[in-house]
Amino acid sequence: MSTAYETLLVEEREDRVVVTLHRPEARNAISGRMIAELHEVCGLLEADPKLLLLTGHGGVFAGGADIAELLRRGRDEALQGINSRLFERVRRLPMPTLAAVDGWALGGGAELPYACDLRIAGPDAVFGNPEPGLGILAAAGACWRLPELVGESIAKQVLLAGRNLDAAAALAAGLVIDVVPAEKLLDEAHALLDRMARSSATALRLTKLVVDAPGAHPVADDLAQAVLFEGQDKKDRMTRFLEKRSRA
């Protein structure tokens, strides 16, 4: 575990980085300091691409942004996009990202998982965006990411009507890949990452780039495939596959 962070627990492994939001005194609320530290982690993952697992400490993912800090922010801070710039950076990380969510994931604490490629939930997970009740809007990506993830109707129920999505509703809406017992949440999250880690890292990176590219993009598909077709990794993997099948 790293001791260089005040609001995060960071564990670096050979093929992944595990980041735990750790502000137990504030239900892991996302503060300016946490934003800065998450930017540091993004810098590490951009320089040395690995899978990312994000989770929260103590049975809570993040109870929202730090309201005391939000109260002090004005127009200039809003225009800086303090949270939205970080979450977009998370979205654009080279390798796949996974949020393991149990307990509350509210406001900015929901928008951070929305920015990840995949989400897995414990039975007590609750996603919600109560920002209008505080006189603001969910401006760190929820207003456009959530409709892409769950559809316009459900997104408006969350963003306008204040509906919270519990674990079952999140699964039904396709927001999370699975709901697993709380005591198995991290094990199942790592199992999912293990499955991805067995794939070609270059293929994962290029697939993510192509999936995230806007609109139809057959040329980008062809260029990415051309890079992979010339790689030794592709030749080795396909050769092993054919040899295994011939022995079956």
Side-chain angles (χ1 to χ4, degrees):
M1 287 290 184
S2 170
T3 58
Y5 301 91
E6 294 179 12
T7 67
L8 307 174
L9 301 176
V10 180
E11 179 186 359
E12 296 187 54
R13 301 188 183 184
E14 182 178 355
D15 61 357
R16 72 198 62 174
V17 173
V18 182
V19 175
T20 304
L21 309 183
H22 188 258
R23 293 188 69 215
E25 75 285 356
R27 295 199 305 175
N28 304 329
I30 298 174
S31 64
R33 179 62 185 172
M34 184 181 285
I35 291 290
E37 292 182 352
L38 286 168
H39 271 297
E40 291 181 35
V41 172
C42 286
L44 294 174
L45 291 169
E46 289 160 352
D48 182 15
K50 295 181 179 181
L51 300 165
L52 172 64
L53 173 59
L54 276 170
T55 191
H57 172 77
V60 176
F61 186 82
D66 190 305
I67 302 301
E69 288 189 7
L70 288 180
L71 179 61
R72 294 192 295 270
R73 292 179 187 173
R75 176 189 58 200
D76 291 342
E77 288 78 14
L79 292 173
Q80 292 172 19
I82 294 171
N83 288 15
S84 63
R85 299 299 186 272
L86 169 71
F87 298 168
E88 182 61 15
R89 192 175 182 184
V90 170
R91 176 65 174 169
R92 294 183 179 276
L93 286 172
M95 290 288 282
T97 56
L98 171 65
V101 178
D102 201 20
W104 295 104
L106 300 177
E111 289 177 298
L112 179 54
Y114 298 162
C116 291
D117 295 305
L118 298 165
R119 291 148 294 279
I120 188 169
D124 295 325
V126 179
F127 298 86
N129 290 97
E131 286 90 343
L134 295 170
I136 59 175
L137 62 92
C143 287
W144 50 277
R145 282 201 181 97
L146 194 57
E148 292 177 353
L149 291 169
V150 302
E152 181 179 320
S153 176
I154 293 176
K156 285 184 175 180
Q157 293 172 37
V158 174
L159 296 167
L160 300 179
R163 178 188 177 189
N164 290 334
L165 298 179
D166 62 16
L171 181 62
L175 182 61
V176 301
I177 191 170
D178 201 2
V179 177
V180 300
E183 64 274 13
K184 295 183 178 179
L185 178 60
L186 290 183
D187 288 341
E188 292 295 330
H190 280 293
L192 179 55
L193 292 178
D194 290 342
R195 189 188 317 159
M196 287 190 278
R198 290 192 289 271
S199 295
S200 161
T202 305
L204 285 176
R205 290 184 65 177
L206 289 174
T207 299
K208 178 171 175 175
L209 279 173
V210 171
V211 170
D212 287 345
H217 37 66
V219 173
D221 294 27
D222 293 345
L223 289 172
Q225 192 73 298
V227 171
L228 294 169
F229 270 19
E230 292 298 313
Q232 187 62 42
D233 191 34
K234 168 251 189 182
K235 295 169 184 162
D236 292 343
R237 287 171 177 271
M238 289 191 176
T239 299
R240 289 196 299 269
F241 175 84
L242 292 172
E243 290 174 346
K244 181 178 179 181
R245 190 173 67 176
S246 67
R247 292 193 299 267

